[in-house]
Amino acid sequence: MTSVTTHCPYCSLQCGMRLTGRRSLEVSAWEEFEVNEGKLCRKGWSAAGLHGSRERLTTPLLRDRATGEFRAVGWDEALDLVAARIGALQAVHGSDAVAVFGGGGLTNEKAYQLGKFARAVLRTSQIDYNGRWCMSSAASAGTRALGLDRGLPFPLADVERTDVLVLVGSNLAETMPPAARHLDRLRERGGRVVVIDPRRTPTAERADLFVQPVPGTDLALALGVLHVLVASGAVDADYLASRTTGFAGVRDSVAAWWPERVERVTGVGADQVRELAALLASRVRAGGPGDPGERARVMVLTARGAEQHSTGSDTVLAWINVALALGQCGREYAGYGCLTGQGNGQGGREHGQKADQLPGYRSITDPAARAHVAGVWGVDPESLPGKGRSAYELLMALGTEDGPKAMLVHGSNIVLSAPNAAVVAERLAALDLLVVADIVLSETAALADVVLPVTQWAEESGTMTNLEGRVILRQRAVTPPAGVRTDLEVLAGLAARLGSPVELATDPEEVFTELRAASAGGPADYSGITWQRIRDEQGVFWPCPDGPTPHPGTPRMFLERFGHPDGLARFHVVEHRGPAEVPDEDYPVHLTTGRVLAQYQSGAQTRRIRDLPDTGPFVELHPLLAMRLGTCDGEPVEVTTRRGTMVAPARVSEAIRPDTVFVPFHWAGVNRLTNDALDPASRMPEFKACAARVAVAPAVLPSGVEPVEVPA
Ligand SMILES: Nc1nc2c(c(=O)[nH]1)N[C@H]1C(S)=C(S)[C@@H](COP(=O)(O)OP(=O)(O)OC[C@H]3O[C@@H](n4cnc5c(=O)[nH]c(N)nc54)[C@H](O)[C@@H]3O)O[C@H]1N2
Ligand SMILES: Nc1nc2c(c(=O)[nH]1)N[C@H]1C(S)=C(S)[C@@H](COP(=O)(O)OP(=O)(O)OC[C@H]3O[C@@H](n4cnc5c(=O)[nH]c(N)nc54)[C@H](O)[C@@H]3O)O[C@H]1N2
Ligand code: SF4
Ligand SMILES: [Mo]
């Protein structure tokens, strides 16, 4: 029996856990790891449920053209076929005929290698990943305002040491449950928690102030809060002068956002807008009286509720404006942060699986970055392709005249998790070749021409970068099942068959060493991090450049200067636009979507774990709406948008606004309804707001039976 310390396979908290195993695999607490202090949510405790499960893929599958069925084949046959068809398609249509789709759950080593495989082996520009569905709006806003995007620019535990915490569109009590203890401890110390969400979630139950806006109106709320702060003279003039630029324009732009106007747009009472602003400008101090002259420390954290909108990046900018105006960014235990989502939501966005990016968070259009990375790879900088299409635009181009004809997917269950999913499924069907590497036969893998079975987390090692920018190490605990390969081996196998000009290592530590060199000098500099340091130090925070003496890593950023060349933070003028689709006569309610505690993402992994409840989707709606529709709890209701329709049981709850319904996306259905309007800056789709019609579901009749008209 071996026992290793490692991290959970799911969300960005990357809780530390101990795995003991050989045949069976047991999860136990790793108390010393400070991020979760031995706590796990039920997904973490049950994570070993896919070990030895019949649901695991253990052999490559090839779709038989005659029957349409899969048949099991050997690895050589599968990889030979994929390489031959890639070669043939590229010979006819050019390099960009092949696309690569990655995931924010992949280790840093895999994300890096996927980018290298696309640019140096396939020479395609067509690579992007599911991080576009996730935190791309916050990343885009953070880069523009603060000059550098690291989800949380401080350790998560700093949450306990602020005075006023504002959560905009985060339900962390269900999406990262061990993190909720920081909210409890902050309140025990006398700090205040504000939660902004159209639903009174378990997170909102912990709030001192709960604000319940109409979906998609957070931007207007932020403008209103800043209006009150300006009007009451609460802005920090010294800070504005010494650490920021651009406030004057923003000040003028919020002049017209008086609280009564905000109330009309957001549904949040004008008094509550004033109350929120007053709290932010207050002298509330957690943990004792403090210096009476010193203003409260304010920490604003956004998550998907604020970000997954066609106005998501402007919304984040508006909240950063609020934090900057109060002098909070770059102050200890205060400032702005984004709660990333996927296990490697942070590292996955730094090492080159994004359409416009090279390793180290470098831009693919920057000649110096191209020269540096080409040097590490041993290729001519000229040979590196340019910027490709963003995730949703890439999916929409599949199988079109000038779009890719083949796609390789590593780490995303696209047909469930992309917006407007029925159209996405049509695009996948239009491909000449769809290859999916996965650990289970996900709904997307089930559509593939070739399925490649890969190892899961406990069967391989690799680094992840958690929501704090802390690079941590997952360690292998058990031998993989016979027949599966790692993603790194798959990529190396294809590269060899494609006559690759570059070597692709298969040992993850070797890949990390290369990643360090490729990231050196970039914004996300990992060059001073080693696997041994990670083991010794409970992770290392980037940036951590290599040098003659070991760099300590950077737990807290921006204390001295922001990431822009002049060291100043930038205010940005942003306007409220609202969601691309708002309710009207035909579609009178808002539909929003999100998560429940016991399921993860598209559910590809967690729906296959027996210890987790698999309830199927539901439609959360308010008793007033239920009454109007004539339905009650548990009865099937039909939700329809301009794109599709679904039926699921009603879950009647006073926790939600009466004008809004909520459906989780862990099961097929709701993404056939969601809107694919994209944020212009980040290309993030609008998962969190569209217009819908809800009705009592028509009785399900056997086919051929016509409903009978009952006379009144
Ligand atoms: N249990 C569980 N945990 C997870 C995941 C999972 O699938 N399951 N996934 C992980 C990933 S990848 C991510 S990205 C994170 C996401 O973590 P969160 O962002 O916390 O999760 P969501 O449920 O998507 O959205 C949060 C809240 O936004 C609210 N909301 C909806 N519309 C709006 C709006 O217009 N404005 C505001 N202010 N709020 C709105 C929803 O009601 C919801 O309560 O979770 C991570 N953790
Ligand atoms: N309506 C709605 N839709 C949403 C959201 C929402 O809030 N509402 N949220 C969006 C967000 S934030 C996200 S992050 C996406 C997530 O949605 P997806 O991108 O679909 O994420 P997962 O369901 O985690 O899919 C990961 C797939 O990769 C497989 N996998 C896991 N580990 C590995 C590995 O190491 N290698 C390989 N090759 N495969 C692996 C898993 O089995 C699974 O099939 O969904 C987005 N979609
Ligand atoms: S909170 Fe996230 S990382 Fe922690 S156990 Fe749950 S799913 Fe895993
Ligand atoms: Mo996410």
Side-chain angles (χ1 to χ4, degrees), residues 106 110 130 133-134 304 308 342 410-414 417 437-440 442 454 460 487 593-595 600-605 665 670-671 674 687-688:
L106 301 178
K110 293 180 185 189
N130 69 7
W133 310 158
C134 191
R304 302 312 82 76
Q308 287 175 326
Q342 299 184 81
H410 288 255
S412 182
N413 189 6
I414 296 166
S417 55
D438 207 308
I439 59 187
V440 293
S442 71
V454 293
E460 56 181 19
D487 288 285
T593 64
R595 296 159 166 82
Y600 188 67
Q601 311 279 64
S602 72
Q605 291 159 278
F665 81 103
V670 78
N671 272 332
T674 46
F687 288 116
K688 289 285 194 272

mmCIF file of all heavy atoms in Angstrom, residues 106 110 130 133-134 304 308 342 410-414 417 437-440 442 454 460 487 593-595 600-605 665 670-671 674 687-688, ligand 2:
data_model
loop_
_atom_site.group_PDB
_atom_site.id
_atom_site.type_symbol
_atom_site.label_atom_id
_atom_site.label_comp_id
_atom_site.label_asym_id
_atom_site.label_seq_id
_atom_site.Cartn_x
_atom_site.Cartn_y
_atom_site.Cartn_z
ATOM 1 N N LEU A 106 -7.063 20.413 -17.202
ATOM 2 C CA LEU A 106 -5.801 19.732 -17.522
ATOM 3 C C LEU A 106 -4.668 20.292 -16.662
ATOM 4 O O LEU A 106 -4.667 21.477 -16.334
ATOM 5 C CB LEU A 106 -5.448 19.947 -19.002
ATOM 6 C CG LEU A 106 -6.462 19.458 -20.043
ATOM 7 C CD1 LEU A 106 -5.973 19.809 -21.452
ATOM 8 C CD2 LEU A 106 -6.692 17.949 -19.923
ATOM 9 N N LYS A 110 0.034 19.345 -19.312
ATOM 10 C CA LYS A 110 -0.808 18.976 -20.457
ATOM 11 C C LYS A 110 -1.223 20.206 -21.253
ATOM 12 O O LYS A 110 -1.229 20.184 -22.492
ATOM 13 C CB LYS A 110 -2.077 18.260 -19.962
ATOM 14 C CG LYS A 110 -1.809 16.914 -19.328
ATOM 15 C CD LYS A 110 -3.133 16.313 -18.874
ATOM 16 C CE LYS A 110 -2.895 15.013 -18.128
ATOM 17 N NZ LYS A 110 -4.164 14.310 -17.863
ATOM 18 N N ASN A 130 -12.012 25.404 -22.951
ATOM 19 C CA ASN A 130 -13.255 25.724 -22.245
ATOM 20 C C ASN A 130 -13.115 26.820 -21.201
ATOM 21 O O ASN A 130 -14.103 27.213 -20.599
ATOM 22 C CB ASN A 130 -13.856 24.457 -21.616
ATOM 23 C CG ASN A 130 -13.009 23.939 -20.463
ATOM 24 O OD1 ASN A 130 -12.047 24.574 -20.034
ATOM 25 N ND2 ASN A 130 -13.348 22.774 -19.944
ATOM 26 N N TRP A 133 -15.470 29.576 -21.417
ATOM 27 C CA TRP A 133 -16.794 29.462 -20.822
ATOM 28 C C TRP A 133 -16.745 29.920 -19.368
ATOM 29 O O TRP A 133 -17.754 29.954 -18.701
ATOM 30 C CB TRP A 133 -17.307 28.034 -20.774
ATOM 31 C CG TRP A 133 -17.308 27.121 -21.954
ATOM 32 C CD1 TRP A 133 -17.345 25.755 -21.893
ATOM 33 C CD2 TRP A 133 -17.361 27.432 -23.342
ATOM 34 N NE1 TRP A 133 -17.390 25.222 -23.146
ATOM 35 C CE2 TRP A 133 -17.396 26.223 -24.051
ATOM 36 C CE3 TRP A 133 -17.364 28.633 -24.048
ATOM 37 C CZ2 TRP A 133 -17.454 26.168 -25.439
ATOM 38 C CZ3 TRP A 133 -17.398 28.580 -25.432
ATOM 39 C CH2 TRP A 133 -17.446 27.367 -26.114
ATOM 40 N N CYS A 134 -15.546 30.108 -18.856
ATOM 41 C CA CYS A 134 -15.366 30.105 -17.409
ATOM 42 C C CYS A 134 -15.028 31.499 -16.878
ATOM 43 O O CYS A 134 -15.928 32.234 -16.501
ATOM 44 C CB CYS A 134 -14.302 29.067 -17.075
ATOM 45 S SG CYS A 134 -14.181 28.698 -15.339
ATOM 46 N N ARG A 304 -18.836 33.418 -11.554
ATOM 47 C CA ARG A 304 -19.516 33.288 -12.827
ATOM 48 C C ARG A 304 -20.830 34.061 -12.906
ATOM 49 O O ARG A 304 -21.248 34.475 -13.984
ATOM 50 C CB ARG A 304 -19.784 31.816 -13.151
ATOM 51 C CG ARG A 304 -18.561 30.877 -13.217
ATOM 52 C CD ARG A 304 -17.414 31.393 -14.032
ATOM 53 N NE ARG A 304 -16.564 32.336 -13.317
ATOM 54 C CZ ARG A 304 -15.666 32.028 -12.385
ATOM 55 N NH1 ARG A 304 -15.485 30.787 -12.034
ATOM 56 N NH2 ARG A 304 -14.934 32.971 -11.791
ATOM 57 N N GLN A 308 -20.399 35.564 -16.554
ATOM 58 C CA GLN A 308 -20.879 34.831 -17.733
ATOM 59 C C GLN A 308 -22.017 35.576 -18.420
ATOM 60 O O GLN A 308 -23.161 35.123 -18.458
ATOM 61 C CB GLN A 308 -21.323 33.423 -17.337
ATOM 62 C CG GLN A 308 -20.136 32.531 -17.015
ATOM 63 C CD GLN A 308 -20.544 31.184 -16.504
ATOM 64 O OE1 GLN A 308 -21.555 31.062 -15.814
ATOM 65 N NE2 GLN A 308 -19.772 30.151 -16.811
ATOM 66 N N GLN A 342 -12.348 25.903 -12.597
ATOM 67 C CA GLN A 342 -11.887 24.545 -12.843
ATOM 68 C C GLN A 342 -10.594 24.285 -12.075
ATOM 69 O O GLN A 342 -9.883 25.218 -11.696
ATOM 70 C CB GLN A 342 -11.632 24.348 -14.329
ATOM 71 C CG GLN A 342 -12.874 24.538 -15.166
ATOM 72 C CD GLN A 342 -12.602 24.237 -16.618
ATOM 73 O OE1 GLN A 342 -12.585 23.088 -17.024
ATOM 74 N NE2 GLN A 342 -12.385 25.262 -17.406
ATOM 75 N N HIS A 410 -9.389 17.446 -25.722
ATOM 76 C CA HIS A 410 -8.804 16.913 -24.487
ATOM 77 C C HIS A 410 -9.379 17.692 -23.308
ATOM 78 O O HIS A 410 -9.003 18.846 -23.088
ATOM 79 C CB HIS A 410 -7.280 17.080 -24.475
ATOM 80 C CG HIS A 410 -6.550 16.171 -25.398
ATOM 81 N ND1 HIS A 410 -5.850 15.080 -24.959
ATOM 82 C CD2 HIS A 410 -6.419 16.186 -26.748
ATOM 83 C CE1 HIS A 410 -5.300 14.464 -25.998
ATOM 84 N NE2 HIS A 410 -5.642 15.115 -27.095
ATOM 85 N N GLY A 411 -10.310 17.096 -22.575
ATOM 86 C CA GLY A 411 -10.705 17.727 -21.314
ATOM 87 C C GLY A 411 -11.894 18.644 -21.381
ATOM 88 O O GLY A 411 -11.983 19.599 -20.598
ATOM 89 N N SER A 412 -12.863 18.373 -22.251
ATOM 90 C CA SER A 412 -14.096 19.153 -22.233
ATOM 91 C C SER A 412 -15.222 18.314 -22.823
ATOM 92 O O SER A 412 -15.010 17.561 -23.767
ATOM 93 C CB SER A 412 -13.932 20.439 -23.050
ATOM 94 O OG SER A 412 -15.114 21.207 -22.991
ATOM 95 N N ASN A 413 -16.397 18.476 -22.229
ATOM 96 C CA ASN A 413 -17.580 17.748 -22.707
ATOM 97 C C ASN A 413 -18.484 18.749 -23.421
ATOM 98 O O ASN A 413 -19.545 19.135 -22.929
ATOM 99 C CB ASN A 413 -18.272 17.085 -21.518
ATOM 100 C CG ASN A 413 -19.375 16.140 -21.945
ATOM 101 O OD1 ASN A 413 -19.572 15.880 -23.133
ATOM 102 N ND2 ASN A 413 -20.113 15.636 -20.976
ATOM 103 N N ILE A 414 -18.015 19.151 -24.591
ATOM 104 C CA ILE A 414 -18.558 20.307 -25.305
ATOM 105 C C ILE A 414 -20.059 20.270 -25.536
ATOM 106 O O ILE A 414 -20.748 21.275 -25.349
ATOM 107 C CB ILE A 414 -17.836 20.425 -26.668
ATOM 108 C CG1 ILE A 414 -16.357 20.714 -26.448
ATOM 109 C CG2 ILE A 414 -18.459 21.499 -27.530
ATOM 110 C CD1 ILE A 414 -15.528 20.513 -27.697
ATOM 111 N N SER A 417 -21.698 21.438 -22.390
ATOM 112 C CA SER A 417 -21.313 22.649 -21.672
ATOM 113 C C SER A 417 -21.261 23.896 -22.539
ATOM 114 O O SER A 417 -21.175 24.993 -22.010
ATOM 115 C CB SER A 417 -19.967 22.441 -20.988
ATOM 116 O OG SER A 417 -19.005 22.026 -21.935
ATOM 117 N N ALA A 437 -10.180 12.517 -26.423
ATOM 118 C CA ALA A 437 -9.439 11.795 -25.387
ATOM 119 C C ALA A 437 -10.151 12.036 -24.078
ATOM 120 O O ALA A 437 -10.381 13.178 -23.685
ATOM 121 C CB ALA A 437 -8.007 12.307 -25.316
ATOM 122 N N ASP A 438 -10.573 10.986 -23.405
ATOM 123 C CA ASP A 438 -11.312 11.167 -22.145
ATOM 124 C C ASP A 438 -11.116 9.935 -21.270
ATOM 125 O O ASP A 438 -10.600 8.911 -21.726
ATOM 126 C CB ASP A 438 -12.808 11.418 -22.425
ATOM 127 C CG ASP A 438 -13.481 12.239 -21.309
ATOM 128 O OD1 ASP A 438 -13.354 11.862 -20.123
ATOM 129 O OD2 ASP A 438 -14.133 13.244 -21.628
ATOM 130 N N ILE A 439 -11.564 10.057 -20.030
ATOM 131 C CA ILE A 439 -11.463 8.924 -19.107
ATOM 132 C C ILE A 439 -12.746 8.100 -19.113
ATOM 133 O O ILE A 439 -12.754 6.949 -18.711
ATOM 134 C CB ILE A 439 -11.104 9.410 -17.690
ATOM 135 C CG1 ILE A 439 -12.139 10.379 -17.150
ATOM 136 C CG2 ILE A 439 -9.746 10.068 -17.695
ATOM 137 C CD1 ILE A 439 -11.741 11.022 -15.825
ATOM 138 N N VAL A 440 -13.836 8.734 -19.562
ATOM 139 C CA VAL A 440 -15.127 8.037 -19.656
ATOM 140 C C VAL A 440 -15.751 8.369 -21.017
ATOM 141 O O VAL A 440 -15.294 9.288 -21.699
ATOM 142 C CB VAL A 440 -16.101 8.496 -18.539
ATOM 143 C CG1 VAL A 440 -15.597 8.057 -17.169
ATOM 144 C CG2 VAL A 440 -16.311 10.005 -18.587
ATOM 145 N N SER A 442 -17.919 10.300 -22.395
ATOM 146 C CA SER A 442 -18.755 11.490 -22.201
ATOM 147 C C SER A 442 -19.712 11.617 -23.385
ATOM 148 O O SER A 442 -19.524 10.954 -24.413
ATOM 149 C CB SER A 442 -17.875 12.729 -22.122
ATOM 150 O OG SER A 442 -17.341 13.010 -23.413
ATOM 151 N N VAL A 454 -7.773 7.837 -21.563
ATOM 152 C CA VAL A 454 -6.606 8.388 -20.869
ATOM 153 C C VAL A 454 -6.681 8.162 -19.362
ATOM 154 O O VAL A 454 -7.742 7.840 -18.815
ATOM 155 C CB VAL A 454 -6.407 9.896 -21.185
ATOM 156 C CG1 VAL A 454 -6.032 10.105 -22.631
ATOM 157 C CG2 VAL A 454 -7.649 10.694 -20.812
ATOM 158 N N GLU A 460 -1.515 9.528 -12.422
ATOM 159 C CA GLU A 460 -0.454 10.278 -13.107
ATOM 160 C C GLU A 460 -0.094 11.469 -12.228
ATOM 161 O O GLU A 460 -0.855 11.848 -11.346
ATOM 162 C CB GLU A 460 -0.972 10.772 -14.460
ATOM 163 C CG GLU A 460 -2.238 11.589 -14.281
ATOM 164 C CD GLU A 460 -2.866 12.107 -15.551
ATOM 165 O OE1 GLU A 460 -2.562 11.576 -16.625
ATOM 166 O OE2 GLU A 460 -3.664 13.045 -15.445
ATOM 167 N N ASP A 487 -2.407 11.716 -21.433
ATOM 168 C CA ASP A 487 -2.548 12.697 -22.522
ATOM 169 C C ASP A 487 -1.187 12.992 -23.143
ATOM 170 O O ASP A 487 -1.081 13.177 -24.358
ATOM 171 C CB ASP A 487 -3.165 14.006 -22.000
ATOM 172 C CG ASP A 487 -4.641 13.881 -21.653
ATOM 173 O OD1 ASP A 487 -5.469 13.831 -22.564
ATOM 174 O OD2 ASP A 487 -4.965 13.823 -20.449
ATOM 175 N N THR A 593 -28.486 30.034 -15.066
ATOM 176 C CA THR A 593 -28.007 28.658 -14.902
ATOM 177 C C THR A 593 -26.820 28.631 -13.953
ATOM 178 O O THR A 593 -26.237 29.664 -13.658
ATOM 179 C CB THR A 593 -27.558 28.078 -16.260
ATOM 180 O OG1 THR A 593 -26.437 28.851 -16.724
ATOM 181 C CG2 THR A 593 -28.666 28.112 -17.298
ATOM 182 N N GLY A 594 -26.472 27.449 -13.494
ATOM 183 C CA GLY A 594 -25.314 27.340 -12.603
ATOM 184 C C GLY A 594 -25.196 25.939 -12.055
ATOM 185 O O GLY A 594 -25.535 24.967 -12.737
ATOM 186 N N ARG A 595 -24.771 25.865 -10.789
ATOM 187 C CA ARG A 595 -24.310 24.593 -10.238
ATOM 188 C C ARG A 595 -25.035 24.174 -8.968
ATOM 189 O O ARG A 595 -25.576 25.004 -8.260
ATOM 190 C CB ARG A 595 -22.817 24.734 -9.917
ATOM 191 C CG ARG A 595 -22.008 24.954 -11.154
ATOM 192 C CD ARG A 595 -20.670 25.573 -10.879
ATOM 193 N NE ARG A 595 -19.844 25.438 -12.065
ATOM 194 C CZ ARG A 595 -19.913 26.259 -13.114
ATOM 195 N NH1 ARG A 595 -20.718 27.290 -13.109
ATOM 196 N NH2 ARG A 595 -19.165 26.032 -14.173
ATOM 197 N N TYR A 600 -20.453 18.015 -10.692
ATOM 198 C CA TYR A 600 -19.370 18.835 -11.212
ATOM 199 C C TYR A 600 -19.534 19.015 -12.719
ATOM 200 O O TYR A 600 -19.563 18.027 -13.466
ATOM 201 C CB TYR A 600 -18.020 18.186 -10.890
ATOM 202 C CG TYR A 600 -16.847 19.075 -11.235
ATOM 203 C CD1 TYR A 600 -16.639 20.250 -10.517
ATOM 204 C CD2 TYR A 600 -15.989 18.764 -12.269
ATOM 205 C CE1 TYR A 600 -15.584 21.093 -10.825
ATOM 206 C CE2 TYR A 600 -14.923 19.603 -12.584
ATOM 207 C CZ TYR A 600 -14.732 20.761 -11.861
ATOM 208 O OH TYR A 600 -13.691 21.602 -12.167
ATOM 209 N N GLN A 601 -19.648 20.263 -13.128
ATOM 210 C CA GLN A 601 -19.628 20.630 -14.544
ATOM 211 C C GLN A 601 -20.646 19.845 -15.368
ATOM 212 O O GLN A 601 -21.777 19.672 -14.961
ATOM 213 C CB GLN A 601 -18.223 20.410 -15.110
ATOM 214 C CG GLN A 601 -17.137 21.016 -14.279
ATOM 215 C CD GLN A 601 -16.996 22.475 -14.541
ATOM 216 O OE1 GLN A 601 -17.920 23.224 -14.265
ATOM 217 N NE2 GLN A 601 -15.874 22.893 -15.055
ATOM 218 N N SER A 602 -20.206 19.328 -16.530
ATOM 219 C CA SER A 602 -21.120 18.578 -17.396
ATOM 220 C C SER A 602 -21.519 17.260 -16.739
ATOM 221 O O SER A 602 -22.327 16.516 -17.296
ATOM 222 C CB SER A 602 -20.448 18.291 -18.735
ATOM 223 O OG SER A 602 -19.444 17.305 -18.563
ATOM 224 N N GLY A 603 -20.969 16.955 -15.589
ATOM 225 C CA GLY A 603 -21.333 15.731 -14.873
ATOM 226 C C GLY A 603 -20.692 14.475 -15.435
ATOM 227 O O GLY A 603 -20.960 13.375 -14.949
ATOM 228 N N ALA A 604 -19.820 14.630 -16.450
ATOM 229 C CA ALA A 604 -19.227 13.441 -17.080
ATOM 230 C C ALA A 604 -18.586 12.544 -16.027
ATOM 231 O O ALA A 604 -18.722 11.318 -16.074
ATOM 232 C CB ALA A 604 -18.195 13.861 -18.127
ATOM 233 N N GLN A 605 -17.917 13.146 -15.062
ATOM 234 C CA GLN A 605 -17.285 12.339 -14.012
ATOM 235 C C GLN A 605 -18.269 12.057 -12.875
ATOM 236 O O GLN A 605 -18.479 10.918 -12.492
ATOM 237 C CB GLN A 605 -16.031 13.065 -13.491
ATOM 238 C CG GLN A 605 -14.913 13.102 -14.519
ATOM 239 C CD GLN A 605 -13.910 14.215 -14.247
ATOM 240 O OE1 GLN A 605 -14.119 15.365 -14.607
ATOM 241 N NE2 GLN A 605 -12.813 13.857 -13.606
ATOM 242 N N PHE A 665 -26.631 23.050 -15.007
ATOM 243 C CA PHE A 665 -26.225 22.557 -16.331
ATOM 244 C C PHE A 665 -25.479 21.223 -16.263
ATOM 245 O O PHE A 665 -24.843 20.819 -17.228
ATOM 246 C CB PHE A 665 -25.379 23.616 -17.057
ATOM 247 C CG PHE A 665 -23.930 23.667 -16.643
ATOM 248 C CD1 PHE A 665 -22.941 23.115 -17.437
ATOM 249 C CD2 PHE A 665 -23.551 24.270 -15.465
ATOM 250 C CE1 PHE A 665 -21.594 23.150 -17.061
ATOM 251 C CE2 PHE A 665 -22.210 24.312 -15.080
ATOM 252 C CZ PHE A 665 -21.235 23.750 -15.874
ATOM 253 N N VAL A 670 -30.241 22.182 -20.531
ATOM 254 C CA VAL A 670 -30.369 23.638 -20.442
ATOM 255 C C VAL A 670 -29.486 24.365 -21.450
ATOM 256 O O VAL A 670 -29.830 25.452 -21.911
ATOM 257 C CB VAL A 670 -30.140 24.148 -19.001
ATOM 258 C CG1 VAL A 670 -28.669 24.187 -18.632
ATOM 259 C CG2 VAL A 670 -30.774 25.524 -18.838
ATOM 260 N N ASN A 671 -28.362 23.766 -21.832
ATOM 261 C CA ASN A 671 -27.539 24.491 -22.809
ATOM 262 C C ASN A 671 -28.093 24.439 -24.230
ATOM 263 O O ASN A 671 -27.582 25.131 -25.110
ATOM 264 C CB ASN A 671 -26.079 24.040 -22.742
ATOM 265 C CG ASN A 671 -25.317 24.867 -21.706
ATOM 266 O OD1 ASN A 671 -25.665 26.018 -21.440
ATOM 267 N ND2 ASN A 671 -24.301 24.279 -21.108
ATOM 268 N N THR A 674 -29.627 28.051 -23.734
ATOM 269 C CA THR A 674 -28.865 29.252 -23.394
ATOM 270 C C THR A 674 -28.450 30.035 -24.633
ATOM 271 O O THR A 674 -28.368 29.498 -25.742
ATOM 272 C CB THR A 674 -27.600 28.882 -22.596
ATOM 273 O OG1 THR A 674 -26.955 27.782 -23.253
ATOM 274 C CG2 THR A 674 -27.945 28.494 -21.170
ATOM 275 N N PHE A 687 -24.091 32.648 -20.481
ATOM 276 C CA PHE A 687 -24.765 31.512 -19.836
ATOM 277 C C PHE A 687 -25.768 31.942 -18.765
ATOM 278 O O PHE A 687 -26.620 31.173 -18.366
ATOM 279 C CB PHE A 687 -23.736 30.622 -19.129
ATOM 280 C CG PHE A 687 -22.866 29.818 -20.039
ATOM 281 C CD1 PHE A 687 -21.495 30.034 -20.073
ATOM 282 C CD2 PHE A 687 -23.398 28.813 -20.831
ATOM 283 C CE1 PHE A 687 -20.673 29.262 -20.884
ATOM 284 C CE2 PHE A 687 -22.579 28.039 -21.649
ATOM 285 C CZ PHE A 687 -21.209 28.267 -21.673
ATOM 286 N N LYS A 688 -25.599 33.153 -18.242
ATOM 287 C CA LYS A 688 -26.326 33.500 -17.023
ATOM 288 C C LYS A 688 -27.569 34.347 -17.263
ATOM 289 O O LYS A 688 -28.205 34.739 -16.283
ATOM 290 C CB LYS A 688 -25.387 34.225 -16.054
ATOM 291 C CG LYS A 688 -24.318 33.315 -15.414
ATOM 292 C CD LYS A 688 -24.903 32.410 -14.338
ATOM 293 C CE LYS A 688 -23.861 31.752 -13.455
ATOM 294 N NZ LYS A 688 -23.368 30.470 -13.986
HETATM 295 N N1 LIG B 2 -25.443 26.765 -18.805
HETATM 296 C C1 LIG B 2 -24.196 26.806 -18.336
HETATM 297 N N2 LIG B 2 -23.201 26.239 -19.038
HETATM 298 C C2 LIG B 2 -21.936 26.306 -18.578
HETATM 299 C C3 LIG B 2 -21.637 26.957 -17.359
HETATM 300 C C4 LIG B 2 -22.714 27.533 -16.624
HETATM 301 O O1 LIG B 2 -22.529 28.115 -15.542
HETATM 302 N N3 LIG B 2 -23.970 27.446 -17.155
HETATM 303 N N4 LIG B 2 -20.348 27.014 -16.912
HETATM 304 C C5 LIG B 2 -19.278 26.909 -17.885
HETATM 305 C C6 LIG B 2 -18.005 26.670 -17.191
HETATM 306 S S1 LIG B 2 -17.555 27.829 -16.023
HETATM 307 C C7 LIG B 2 -17.205 25.641 -17.472
HETATM 308 S S2 LIG B 2 -15.674 25.558 -16.730
HETATM 309 C C8 LIG B 2 -17.603 24.628 -18.473
HETATM 310 C C9 LIG B 2 -17.160 23.234 -18.115
HETATM 311 O O2 LIG B 2 -17.670 22.291 -18.950
HETATM 312 P P1 LIG B 2 -16.756 21.162 -19.638
HETATM 313 O O3 LIG B 2 -15.717 21.823 -20.450
HETATM 314 O O4 LIG B 2 -17.628 20.244 -20.363
HETATM 315 O O5 LIG B 2 -16.085 20.525 -18.349
HETATM 316 P P2 LIG B 2 -16.193 19.082 -17.722
HETATM 317 O O6 LIG B 2 -17.571 18.606 -17.562
HETATM 318 O O7 LIG B 2 -15.310 19.151 -16.529
HETATM 319 O O8 LIG B 2 -15.540 18.200 -18.848
HETATM 320 C C10 LIG B 2 -14.262 17.718 -18.779
HETATM 321 C C11 LIG B 2 -14.189 16.442 -19.623
HETATM 322 O O9 LIG B 2 -12.835 16.040 -19.670
HETATM 323 C C12 LIG B 2 -12.663 14.772 -19.054
HETATM 324 N N5 LIG B 2 -11.389 14.820 -18.358
HETATM 325 C C13 LIG B 2 -11.139 15.064 -17.059
HETATM 326 N N6 LIG B 2 -9.820 15.073 -16.824
HETATM 327 C C14 LIG B 2 -9.203 14.856 -18.012
HETATM 328 C C15 LIG B 2 -7.827 14.773 -18.426
HETATM 329 O O10 LIG B 2 -6.894 14.930 -17.653
HETATM 330 N N7 LIG B 2 -7.600 14.544 -19.755
HETATM 331 C C16 LIG B 2 -8.609 14.363 -20.652
HETATM 332 N N8 LIG B 2 -8.289 14.143 -21.929
HETATM 333 N N9 LIG B 2 -9.910 14.424 -20.275
HETATM 334 C C17 LIG B 2 -10.193 14.681 -18.987
HETATM 335 C C18 LIG B 2 -13.885 14.566 -18.186
HETATM 336 O O11 LIG B 2 -14.177 13.200 -18.034
HETATM 337 C C19 LIG B 2 -14.967 15.319 -18.981
HETATM 338 O O12 LIG B 2 -15.558 14.531 -19.969
HETATM 339 O O13 LIG B 2 -19.030 24.650 -18.612
HETATM 340 C C20 LIG B 2 -19.532 25.876 -18.983
HETATM 341 N N10 LIG B 2 -20.940 25.720 -19.300
#
